Amino acid sequence: MTETLIPRSPRPLDSIFSPRTVAVVGASRRRDSLGFSLLHNLVINEFSGAIFPVNPTAAAIHSLKCYPAVAAIPDPVDLAVIMVPRAKVQGVVEECIAKGVKGLIVITAGFSETGKEGAALERRLRETVRAAGVRMIGPNCMGVINTDPEVTLDATFAPTPARRGSIGFVSQSGALGVAILNVAQDIGVGLTQFVSMGNKADVSGNDLIEHWEDDPETKVIAMYLESFGNPRRFTEIAKRVTRKKPILVVKSGRTAEGARAATSHTGAIAGTDVTVSAFLEQCGVLRANTIEELFDVARALARVPLPGGFRVGIVTNAGGPAIMATDACVNLGLHMAELADGTRAILRTFLPPEASVGNPVDMIASATAEHYAKTVAAVLDDPAVDMAMVINVSPVLTNPIELLQAIAVVARERPKPVLAVMMATDEFYDAVKTQRDLPPVYHFPEPAARVMFLLARYAAWRRRPADLPAPDFATDDAQVAAILESVKDGYLDQAAAFRVLELYGVPVAKWRMTSGHDEVLAAAREIGYPVVLKAVASNLVHKSEAGAVRVDLRDDEELGRAVVEMESSVAAAGHTVDGFLVQEMARGGHEVIFGITTDPRFGPLLMFGLGGKYVEVFQDVRFAVTPLDAEEARDVVRGIRGFKLLEGVRGEPGADLDLLVEILLRLAQLSQRHPRIRELDLNPFLAGPDRTSARALDARIRVGEPPV
Ligand code: ADP
Ligand code: MG
């Protein structure tokens, strides 16, 4: 019987990752050159196909026959790695295309990263390869590795090879690529493929995610990024792919770039970095702070099942590290599982009487491998436990590897993740490096807790409904647009800002705009005492600081006096009073802030948090990019540190949380449909226990030309 092979359908990047032949254009005999190192890596890592060095001045390099030009190679060439001087790259690329080469890796630097001239050369390269239907990695990159045993391609000049594993890794930076391969080697993490993508003139991070999307060998996609080329496309692809496999990102530039030139609270708090975090989170992408943390998470994701929730059981043989572990878990937002009576009873049957059978389960220092195995089994079998952290210190009684093997047997039979914290020697860590069937091990409880938290977050993302549409509120957008057009560039006046909110279904405290003394009194009687008086003056942004806000005015007399006093205090602050805003005096509820700002890359950005004076002190806010669905809006509201306050503490009534979510969604629609809004601050919005008691007390909207 003949066996029919079903050929795998070819993928766009196959010529780069799985070539049968490789030409190295710019190969060199000089041992200290990149042109030698790269060729050397191809050879010593035993590339499965043929290698053709190209260099007009050498007859042979690295014992391989050398060709004067690509055209002179007699065989077909699938992939060409180009490392000639910048001025020659375009010519070589054209030569490769004429020869029928399908994949290109351009190592040579000096393109868009150096300025205008380089950018023009890079544009021309892109146009050339796109027109020919050829795919190109780079320029300005370190190359590509494929550990597939059928291929074994190391087309990089990095000194460290990669071992076979299940992580697809892409690095935007070449220099960091070298470090990434070193770290991977050190901790024994294996990769399916590694790509240093350089300037991304053709192949982008998005293309690579799609390449790994359905690759069964790649279980985790890991990325080191410095920028997002096309955030919209990234969102679309990442939201889809993270349903199938995790994407981990280290994005450089974590430190805030300082407040940008913004006058709103929202704009001042929103640095590029919080935007990126919000953006990644909404795409289901996990963000790691460092390369080390990325690998910590990646090796867990590659080995353990996803947890069903956020509840952790801790098993230990010493009290101290269990306390550290508990603190770390709770601080991250994980929960300590409440073990069932049945579980405690089982533990009592075999643990010594001094052992503690609550969570953390402290088996005390005498614990053996058998104690560990039985305890981990009982803890994992408890329905209140979603995952377990197993801690072992100063192993006098057991060989730590045997201990880990005993735990592995128990863990393998149960669909819950187990992470081990082993305070053991370097020899131990060297020995477990390559053992893929053991639970992932960590030196300390904190990184293990962080990994558990990210696993739980990712699992929650996988459970949530996909592709919820953003809600569509009925709004009079023509009228809103007309108001926004009334100012070319700058702040809307108070009345206009309140009207925009009202048109968008955001409740606003009763207000009247007035000019003279008599009008103020008439407005107050109409609204009903007590009232709030605010002076209106152009360029008066922070009203309270100029004495332009007086609250709780109870009668004509108090109000009349306030008008006179305010006129002088506002004048003293250097402003001319144009009129007065009279508002109902709102009471009760929590002061929160809603905001909109715009990011040149990511578009409109929504903010929510504790408002009033809390904004400046605590900056307890969360951001979200648009479009925003109901689930995401809920995450934003629930995600602030002070959420418990909004739920109501110590008998104090909470806020109408559904209404807060709805307002966030309404503002998201406003920001998306009206790009003339550059910034918006609702601060404070008074969030009362129900719909009728919630309202905006202050609003500021800055408009301007939308960016093209
Ligand atoms: P600004 O932010 O320009 O200083 P606001 O209009 O926000 O001025 O007023 C300052 C503070 O006064 C608010 O944070 C709020 O605590 C209080 N306040 C403002 N308007 C009202 C109102 N209508 N009812 C109750 N308190 C108010
Ligand atoms: Mg205010």
Side-chain angles (χ1 to χ4, degrees):
M1 205 179 87
T2 53
E3 208 178 326
T4 358
L5 277 176
I6 303 166
R8 191 169 52 90
S9 57
R11 291 181 298 165
L13 301 180
D14 278 351
S15 54
I16 289 169
F17 285 116
S18 309
R20 283 153 306 173
T21 54
V22 178
V24 181
V25 191
S28 166
R29 292 177 67 95
R30 275 196 0 256
R31 283 193 159 266
D32 60 350
S33 68
L34 300 185
F36 179 85
S37 306
L38 193 135
L39 190 64
H40 183 67
N41 275 348
L42 280 169
V43 174
I44 61 163
N45 291 297
E46 299 174 5
F47 173 53
S48 62
I51 308 170
F52 308 115
V54 177
N55 183 331
T57 64
I61 305 177
H62 214 301
S63 316
L64 294 167
K65 175 176 157 50
C66 190
Y67 298 86
V70 174
I73 301 170
D75 297 58
V77 174
D78 289 339
L79 170 68
V81 185
I82 299 171
M83 35 207 330
V84 296
R86 182 180 85 164
K88 295 194 172 145
V89 171
Q90 177 70 29
V92 169
V93 165
E94 286 168 14
E95 209 188 320
C96 288
I97 291 168
K99 163 86 182 154
V101 175
K102 287 283 170 283
L104 299 168
I105 299 174
V106 180
I107 305 280
T108 309
F111 289 86
S112 61
E113 81 279 12
T114 59
K116 261 195 167 148
E117 195 193 339
L121 292 172
E122 187 171 310
R123 228 172 4 255
R124 201 167 146 220
L125 270 187
R126 175 182 22 243
E127 282 158 14
T128 308
V129 297
R130 295 251 162 114
V134 167
R135 298 313 304 264
M136 172 178 72
I137 304 263
N140 184 30
C141 74
M142 195 192 71
V144 167
I145 296 176
N146 184 2
T147 60
D148 180 349
E150 304 272 297
V151 183
T152 58
L153 173 84
D154 185 341
T156 71
F157 53 81
T160 318
R163 74 170 85 221
R164 183 70 177 156
S166 49
I167 300 168
F169 206 122
V170 48
S171 172
Q172 191 167 346
S173 148
L176 227 100
V178 176
I180 287 163
L181 291 171
N182 283 338
V183 176
Q185 175 84 330
D186 270 358
I187 58 178
V189 171
L191 309 177
T192 48
Q193 279 134 21
F194 171 84
V195 181
S196 150
M197 64 183 171
N199 295 1
K200 309 186 281 186
D202 176 40
V203 174
S204 67
N206 290 336
D207 295 329
L208 291 162
I209 297 175
E210 290 196 305
H211 173 77
W212 286 316
E213 176 175 5
D214 293 314
D215 173 21
E217 301 296 319
T218 302
K219 304 264 190 290
V220 180
I221 298 171
M223 317 181 86
Y224 170 81
L225 296 180
E226 286 165 353
S227 65
F228 292 93
N230 182 346
R232 294 275 162 223
R233 195 169 157 241
F234 181 90
T235 307
E236 194 184 300
I237 295 172
K239 279 188 171 172
R240 183 183 74 230
V241 174
T242 49
R243 297 260 155 206
K244 306 180 191 171
K245 55 184 72 173
I247 302 177
L248 282 164
V249 164
V250 175
K251 163 79 174 64
S252 61
R254 264 228 94 130
T255 49
E257 285 164 30
R260 291 172 296 169
T263 44
S264 69
H265 287 297
T266 313
I269 300 171
T272 309
D273 198 62
V274 291
T275 319
V276 169
S277 281
F279 168 72
L280 291 175
E281 198 176 322
Q282 279 173 259
C283 296
V285 171
L286 297 174
R287 182 174 191 181
N289 293 315
T290 60
I291 299 290
E292 196 181 1
E293 185 177 290
L294 181 143
F295 278 123
D296 278 349
V297 183
R299 61 203 167 90
L301 281 166
R303 269 189 231 176
V304 300
L306 290 175
F310 288 78
R311 300 164 307 169
V312 181
I314 296 174
V315 176
T316 184
N317 68 343
I323 295 171
M324 287 162 67
T326 306
D327 284 351
C329 287
V330 172
N331 284 339
L332 285 163
L334 293 167
H335 308 302
M336 291 299 286
E338 183 75 36
L339 296 182
D341 291 342
T343 307
R344 292 165 194 254
I346 295 170
L347 295 174
R348 276 273 166 252
T349 61
F350 60 86
L351 290 178
E354 302 81 19
S356 149
V357 296
N359 186 18
V361 181
D362 186 352
M363 305 175 296
I364 71 170
S366 58
T368 62
E370 199 196 337
H371 284 138
Y372 266 97
K374 282 174 142 175
T375 304
V376 171
V379 167
L380 287 179
D381 288 340
D382 192 313
V385 172
D386 296 313
M387 55 193 148
M389 185 193 298
V390 184
I391 303 171
N392 179 258
V393 281
S394 3
V396 262
L397 293 174
T398 32
N399 170 329
I401 300 255
E402 281 167 20
L403 181 85
L404 212 51
Q405 281 163 343
I407 296 167
V409 171
V410 170
R412 213 172 295 140
E413 293 161 354
R414 290 164 174 82
K416 295 180 183 177
V418 176
L419 276 65
V421 175
M422 307 289 286
M423 301 195 171
T425 58
D426 286 350
E427 289 78 55
F428 162 78
Y429 274 94
D430 274 341
V432 291
K433 240 191 223 179
T434 49
Q435 305 214 22
R436 242 160 270 300
D437 47 353
L438 295 180
V441 286
Y442 302 89
H443 284 86
F444 295 104
E446 290 83 359
R450 173 95 186 133
V451 170
M452 290 181 135
F453 172 69
L454 290 175
L455 291 182
R457 264 252 305 265
Y458 178 60
W461 163 261
R462 291 275 292 257
R463 282 193 300 270
R464 67 195 280 166
D467 296 325
L468 286 177
D472 183 356
F473 299 99
T475 44
D476 186 345
D477 289 291
Q479 215 177 319
V480 172
I483 297 173
L484 299 177
E485 301 283 343
S486 69
V487 173
K488 199 167 170 311
D489 192 356
Y491 287 97
L492 295 187
D493 62 40
Q494 276 294 316
F498 284 147
R499 240 176 270 128
V500 167
L501 292 173
E502 286 165 349
L503 285 166
Y504 251 74
V506 176
V508 176
K510 263 186 244 152
W511 59 276
R512 295 283 181 280
M513 197 54 83
T514 61
S515 42
H517 188 268
D518 294 344
E519 269 186 53
V520 169
L521 293 183
R525 285 185 208 126
E526 213 182 311
I527 288 171
Y529 283 105
V531 294
V532 173
L533 180 74
K534 299 180 186 178
V536 176
S538 57
N539 297 325
L540 177 57
V541 186
H542 300 291
K543 294 182 291 295
S544 337
E545 283 161 28
V549 178
R550 291 286 296 274
V551 300
D552 205 14
L553 302 167
R554 273 164 294 185
D555 50 39
D556 286 4
E557 200 198 317
E558 277 189 26
L559 180 59
R561 225 182 8 246
V563 168
V564 178
E565 287 166 8
M566 198 172 279
E567 258 166 345
S568 64
S569 64
V570 171
H575 296 278
T576 321
V577 175
D578 299 328
F580 289 97
L581 178 72
V582 181
Q583 280 182 304
E584 69 174 297
M585 174 71 201
R587 288 182 204 277
H590 303 270
E591 291 197 346
V592 296
I593 180 171
F594 287 97
I596 297 172
T597 182
T598 42
D599 182 279
R601 281 249 86 123
F602 296 95
L605 197 64
L606 273 292
M607 188 184 88
F608 171 78
L610 294 186
K613 50 191 176 291
Y614 294 118
V615 187
E616 272 122 289
V617 184
F618 299 119
Q619 295 211 346
D620 183 9
V621 295
R622 298 276 295 183
F623 288 86
V625 294
T626 51
L628 190 67
D629 69 33
E631 199 68 32
E632 291 166 340
R634 236 183 304 276
D635 284 348
V636 170
V637 172
R638 301 189 76 90
I640 63 167
R641 291 192 301 278
F643 177 66
K644 281 215 168 77
L645 278 175
L646 301 184
E647 281 185 305
V649 284
R650 300 188 182 207
E652 227 183 87
D656 182 344
L657 300 172
D658 288 340
L659 178 69
L660 298 180
V661 170
E662 183 189 314
I663 289 172
L664 205 53
L665 291 166
R666 286 180 181 273
L667 292 176
Q669 178 172 319
L670 176 68
S671 71
Q672 284 218 291
R673 294 203 182 154
H674 300 281
R676 277 186 60 77
I677 295 182
R678 312 308 303 144
E679 288 178 339
L680 176 151
D681 259 353
L682 288 194
N683 186 31
F685 181 93
L686 197 65
D690 55 44
R691 212 162 251 276
T692 53
S693 60
R695 63 211 93 175
L697 306 185
D698 185 22
R700 206 143 64 212
I701 300 178
R702 190 168 69 78
V703 296
E705 280 314 306
V708 275

